[in-house]
Amino acid sequence: MTRATPLRPTRARFSPSRVHHVEESIVMAAPQESEIYASFDSLLEPRPAWRIGEFPERDGSMRQLREPEAVTIVQNGRLTLGVRRFTRAHDRLQILDNAKHVLFSTRGFEVPEDGSISFTVELKAEGNGCRAGDLYDAFASLLCLDLSTGTAIDVFCRDDVCAAVFARLPFPGASVPDLEPFKYWAIFDERVLPSPGSHTYGIEIAPRAGSITWTVDGDLLRRQSLPHYRLGPLVLGLGLMTEKTLGPNGSVSCHGQGLGAEWGPIGIERRP
């Protein structure tokens, strides 16, 4: 990756609805060259474009990925989520500890075997009481999740720092196939941005070329080889999250910090 700005330290792991529940709720998108996926104002409708994510606990109950005091605003076609202080934590499962407040798309998006699919979004996030220089203390995300293979292809950001993320994760409730040489991994690639505020992030997945490319404001953020397995349909996620490894006594991710973030409509383009 070409870096024009200094990088900051990274950590590992990740986050984010019950796998079978998510897959059953997905309506597959019809093939077309390009579209805008937003409809943030449908959140209270019987058939919304977005819903609160959830995952199964070990006892079989469902855990919603939801901060009880989160504020949701839809204005001028954009979505704003805000949490004054994070309260959600989990002492046993890293993914559930990470995902403080996450929305998932109710549609799935097929990844073409030939050609590519790309997602672009304008995104900004501002921390409240967050540790300076530590992106993983609180961040906003665009998530592209294949729950059938455990694959996560994401962008994180807060203030003037962003990261490209590529991971294969043990999503709760999922049976992830084995893979050599590593079954699970998480790669974080950070960049300090010229300024805080809104930036345009892109993720292009190109199976035929065998690559994933992340961009920020049109500049290369990371390019990654795509492993040799077929990706299933992608569920999109918009999240307020942390990324702090569980300690000997459980979660260490909440210390009074909060986060506000704004997402624009998501552009989706398919190329042959």
Side-chain angles (χ1 to χ4, degrees), residues 7-11 133-136 190:
L7 299 181
R8 291 178 179 167
T10 172
R11 293 187 83 113
D134 184 357
L135 174 63
Y136 305 108
E190 302 87 355

Side-chain angles (χ1 to χ4, degrees), residues 53-241:
E54 57 182 9
F55 269 140
E57 294 269 19
R58 290 177 176 174
D59 63 4
S61 63
M62 297 302 296
R63 178 184 175 90
Q64 288 194 325
L65 310 181
R66 175 180 175 268
E67 280 283 354
E69 299 300 317
V71 176
T72 303
I73 299 173
V74 179
Q75 193 174 46
N76 296 323
R78 305 174 77 85
L79 172 70
T80 299
L81 298 176
V83 176
R84 186 174 182 182
R85 292 184 181 88
F86 286 148
T87 63
R88 297 285 278 171
H90 202 286
D91 290 328
R92 299 182 306 279
L93 293 180
Q94 186 71 56
I95 288 175
L96 298 184
D97 187 58
N98 293 346
K100 305 306 186 194
H101 191 84
V102 183
L103 302 180
F104 284 91
S105 65
T106 54
R107 285 175 53 187
F109 299 88
E110 289 281 1
V111 178
E113 284 190 80
D114 295 324
S116 66
I117 185 169
S118 63
F119 304 90
T120 59
V121 66
E122 287 188 14
L123 172 59
K124 66 178 179 180
E126 183 177 354
N128 175 33
C130 299
R131 294 187 177 100
D134 184 357
L135 174 63
Y136 305 108
D137 195 40
F139 57 86
S141 60
L142 169 65
L143 312 173
C144 301
L145 306 177
D146 173 11
L147 301 172
S148 66
T149 65
T151 304
I153 304 169
D154 312 320
V155 165
F156 298 169
C157 78
R158 189 189 84 237
D159 300 322
D160 64 345
V161 185
C162 69
V165 182
F166 182 48
R168 196 168 191 256
L169 306 165
F171 291 123
S175 179
V176 177
D178 197 7
L179 187 70
E180 295 289 344
F182 307 108
K183 184 175 182 178
Y184 300 119
W185 66 78
I187 300 171
F188 300 80
D189 204 344
E190 302 87 355
R191 176 174 291 186
V192 179
L193 298 164
S195 64
S198 184
H199 295 273
T200 300
Y201 297 94
I203 297 173
E204 182 184 46
I205 304 166
R208 187 174 186 178
S211 66
I212 308 168
T213 303
W214 293 258
T215 58
V216 54
D217 296 330
D219 294 329
L220 180 66
L221 178 57
R222 179 179 178 82
R223 181 168 288 120
Q224 167 74 51
S225 296
L226 189 65
H228 298 294
Y229 60 83
R230 175 76 188 274
L231 289 174
L234 300 176
V235 176
L236 303 182
L238 311 175
L240 304 179
M241 303 166 60

